[in-house]
Amino acid sequence: MPRHLLRIADLSREDAWKILHRAKELKDGGIRTKTMDGRTAILIFEKSSTRTRVSFEVAVRHLGGQTIFMTPVESQLGRSEPLKDTARCLSRYADCLVVRTYGQEKLETLVRFSSIPVVNALSDEHHPCQVLSDMLSMYERTSDLGSLRVAWIGDGNNMAHSFIDAAALFGFDLVLACPAGYDPDPAIVAQARERGARVTLTRNPEDAARDADYLNTDVWASMGQEGEQRERERVFAGFQVDDRLLSLAKPACKVMHCLPAHRGEEISEAVLEGPASIAFDQAENRLHMQKAVLEWVFGTI
């Protein structure tokens, strides 16, 4: 049976730590391998991308493989071919599918009908590769992840969901400050708590930021939500990660953002460009984590 990664909760604690340690090893050693020698990964992207596409394409090449990039525009994906047919055909051509899409159900269909690994490169519900990369960014600075207090400020979106999943595996305290009506999925919170996650929800960004080791945020309106931009700006007023909020955190607190950032909305220019920001380290770590994830799905770690 192929290994798939649709969400962080798919991983055991052992595998999650194994992937994290391998990503750090690959980065620190500048390691390139032949894990994907003779193998092809098909990147199916229904959403535009900079970091995800480039980091995955370079990661595959660092592992000795090659990629084919597909969007609905130049394929049958845009002509209403059943996804199960696409899955069965592509499984006979390639060795892995890396998919950036809207609904999680599309990934689940691909898994059901594919005979090759499927990796979630982003869906509306989860963003596992990004948050695993964020775990690497935290681990580089604090090896004892279980000692950390991490604050999430803003929308209870796919990033928030993956941080909730990660809290169950890596043991840090997670406090999410979200406006009413923008909470994370209660089922995801409940599942994580059942696995031991320490997750707290609040309406007050100050409460979340106080004594935090990491402040984390994301855009207020994600792809596909552009029509809600004005309303979200109104609702999320007061949820900006700025100097005032940062001053409530621990003195050594780092600020995280998965990018792209809307300066002056969810994060201030001063904080994003300031010494506490590790946003561009996070972006770099996408490359190293993608390599570790691909090695894991192919069973070499």
Side-chain angles (χ1 to χ4, degrees):
M1 291 291 291
R3 281 178 167 178
H4 308 289
L5 180 60
L6 301 193
R7 56 181 290 193
I8 291 175
D10 292 341
L11 299 170
S12 66
R13 283 188 177 85
E14 179 183 2
D15 280 345
W17 278 101
K18 190 182 296 184
I19 291 169
L20 180 59
H21 289 147
R22 179 56 173 166
K24 189 173 188 303
E25 181 181 39
L26 289 166
K27 179 180 181 178
D28 291 348
I31 297 170
R32 304 188 184 193
T33 74
K34 294 297 184 181
T35 298
M36 293 190 67
D37 188 22
R39 287 172 163 152
T40 299
I42 297 181
L43 278 59
I44 304 174
F45 279 39
E46 291 188 305
K47 290 187 172 187
S48 59
S49 168
T50 299
R51 283 154 292 276
T52 301
R53 176 180 177 178
V54 173
S55 60
F56 260 113
E57 292 215 29
V58 175
V60 170
R61 285 161 174 74
H62 280 192
L63 299 181
Q66 58 185 348
T67 60
I68 296 172
F69 183 76
M70 297 175 59
T71 72
V73 175
E74 70 269 2
S75 70
Q76 292 294 332
L77 292 168
R79 301 184 65 184
S80 300
E81 179 179 38
L83 200 55
K84 62 183 180 181
D85 293 357
T86 298
R88 287 179 288 194
C89 290
L90 295 183
S91 292
R92 301 187 184 210
Y93 301 147
D95 303 281
C96 178
L97 301 179
V98 177
V99 185
R100 185 175 174 94
T101 187
Y102 290 91
Q104 191 80 3
E105 71 280 354
K106 292 187 176 182
L107 290 158
E108 293 166 357
T109 298
L110 287 170
V111 164
R112 181 180 175 191
F113 289 97
S114 294
S115 57
I116 59 177
V118 177
V119 177
N120 180 2
L122 176 143
S123 70
D124 286 348
E125 287 79 18
H126 296 279
H127 201 353
C129 294
Q130 174 67 60
V131 172
L132 286 171
S133 302
D134 295 344
M135 295 300 105
L136 175 58
S137 300
M138 291 162 52
Y139 183 65
E140 289 178 309
R141 293 162 173 83
T142 315
S143 59
D144 182 11
L145 295 183
S147 68
L148 297 175
R149 175 182 169 93
V150 178
W152 176 267
I153 311 294
D155 191 16
N157 60 10
N158 52 1
M159 282 290 296
H161 290 162
S162 288
F163 258 94
I164 292 166
D165 281 351
L169 294 179
F170 296 104
F172 54 87
D173 287 317
L174 178 63
V175 185
L176 301 103
C178 308
Y182 295 87
D183 286 336
D185 185 335
I188 291 173
V189 175
Q191 290 164 9
R193 284 173 172 164
E194 286 173 5
R195 299 181 72 182
R198 301 190 298 272
V199 177
T200 304
L201 304 179
T202 179
R203 299 279 177 243
N204 191 327
E206 288 80 8
D207 288 345
R210 192 166 287 110
D211 296 324
D213 296 285
Y214 290 88
L215 291 182
N216 204 340
T217 190
D218 192 9
V219 295
W220 291 340
S222 299
M223 282 180 286
Q225 298 172 335
E226 291 82 2
E228 304 174 25
Q229 178 69 29
R230 292 282 183 87
E231 175 63 12
R232 284 174 174 262
E233 288 176 6
R234 183 189 67 80
V235 171
F236 284 87
F239 282 77
Q240 182 183 103
V241 176
D242 54 15
D243 286 327
R244 177 189 61 84
L245 211 59
L246 182 58
S247 70
L248 299 174
K250 291 181 180 176
C253 178
K254 298 301 181 184
V255 175
M256 305 176 77
H257 194 304
C258 62
L259 303 177
H262 292 176
R263 291 163 168 84
E265 291 183 15
E266 76 278 357
I267 191 167
S268 70
E269 172 82 10
V271 169
L272 185 63
E273 297 292 350
S277 173
I278 60 170
F280 295 98
D281 293 337
Q282 293 172 253
E284 177 190 346
N285 282 340
R286 293 295 303 276
L287 170 62
H288 310 296
M289 182 53 68
Q290 313 315 23
K291 289 194 285 187
V293 165
L294 288 166
E295 286 195 338
W296 179 79
V297 299
F298 285 115
T300 61
I301 62 169

